[in-house]
Amino acid sequence: MTFPTENEMKKALESRQGKEMVRKLSESTVAVCGLGGLGSNIAISLARAGVGRLILIDFDQVDVTNLHRQQYKASQVGMYKTEALSKNLLEIAPYIRLTCYSSRISADNFERFLADADVVCEAFDDPEAKAMLTDGVLEKMPEKYLVAASGMAGLGPANDIQTRQITDHFILCGDGVSEVADGGGLFAPRVMLCAAHQALAVLRILAGMR
């Protein structure tokens, strides 16, 4: 497989985004916690934009039930999500730097996993995991920017997905209401909308536009 050179890809990004923006993004590190429908889409958007390093965290393996909304291929079923997503990202952005943890993030290890991140993306399905990471980062790593999600289930209007500034370092994306438990299900377009809000919020932070 032949790729454009690193310099060719950099010049192409600069022509679209400007040299200073490319520099800022290339020098940044973003942690994506959870690589499902939100996280896999966030990671791909950030890689395409030129973020220099991603920290990918997920203990799970790709399942056939993931394929309708997550950025994996049918041939990757059974692979660890960190491994599968890394392969996909390196086809999109071959010079990105990736650090992967195929482990369950917990109150005992999140500080070690996230130490190098400029921005942390919470992209979990499980409410307890969401609360653990949000509370942990806000309390123990207040200097970090946290971009989290709440509410993207069902087929509600696209414009109900919003980005809200909760505190100076905490941004929340979603409709804040819909839950899978309510029977709404998860559909690729709406999950991707929320992921796009999160990815854009990250880029704005890194660009100094928050």
Side-chain angles (χ1 to χ4, degrees):
M1 189 177 298
T2 302
F3 297 110
T5 67
E6 185 171 9
N7 189 56
E8 287 172 335
M9 295 193 74
K10 178 182 177 183
K11 293 296 185 185
L13 269 181
E14 289 177 345
S15 71
R16 298 291 183 174
Q17 297 174 184
K19 287 186 177 181
E20 183 60 15
M21 178 66 74
V22 170
R23 183 193 65 78
K24 287 180 179 179
L25 297 181
S26 67
E27 293 175 355
S28 300
T29 297
V30 178
V32 183
C33 306
L35 304 179
L38 290 172
S40 61
N41 280 290
I42 292 168
I44 284 178
S45 289
L46 297 180
R48 290 191 186 281
V51 170
R53 180 186 174 204
L54 295 178
I55 300 171
L56 306 176
I57 307 168
D58 199 306
F59 69 93
D60 207 0
Q61 294 171 303
V62 180
D63 185 83
V64 66
T65 60
N66 302 150
L67 300 179
H68 77 290
R69 70 187 188 283
Q70 302 182 17
Q71 291 297 322
Y72 301 104
K73 306 170 187 177
S75 61
Q76 294 177 321
V77 168
M79 293 175 63
Y80 279 103
K81 288 184 177 179
T82 48
E83 180 184 356
L85 187 57
S86 292
K87 289 181 179 294
N88 296 344
L89 289 169
L90 289 171
E91 290 186 20
I92 293 167
Y95 307 105
I96 194 170
R97 303 184 304 282
L98 301 174
T99 300
C100 297
Y101 295 104
S102 300
S103 305
R104 188 187 295 271
I105 195 167
S106 69
D108 296 324
N109 62 24
F110 77 90
E111 290 179 271
R112 174 167 59 88
F113 288 171
L114 306 179
D116 294 339
D118 300 305
V119 183
V120 176
C121 284
E122 178 278 306
F124 293 131
D125 294 329
D126 179 65
E128 291 185 7
K130 285 177 173 288
M132 178 279 298
L133 186 66
T134 299
D135 292 345
V137 172
L138 293 179
E139 291 176 9
K140 295 187 177 182
M141 309 178 88
E143 77 285 0
K144 303 286 187 190
Y145 287 95
L146 175 66
V147 179
S150 177
M152 75 287 307
L155 290 171
N159 288 343
D160 285 355
I161 304 290
Q162 298 182 6
T163 297
R164 291 176 288 155
Q165 186 94 31
I166 306 301
T167 69
D168 187 54
H169 280 63
F170 180 30
I171 292 173
L172 188 62
C173 303
D175 62 25
V177 177
S178 62
E179 296 183 7
V180 180
D182 296 333
L186 291 168
F187 294 87
R190 208 155 191 267
V191 173
M192 291 172 71
L193 276 167
C194 190
H197 272 255
Q198 287 186 266
L200 183 58
V202 171
L203 295 179
R204 287 176 58 84
I205 289 169
L206 298 177
M209 298 171 63
R210 61 182 182 78

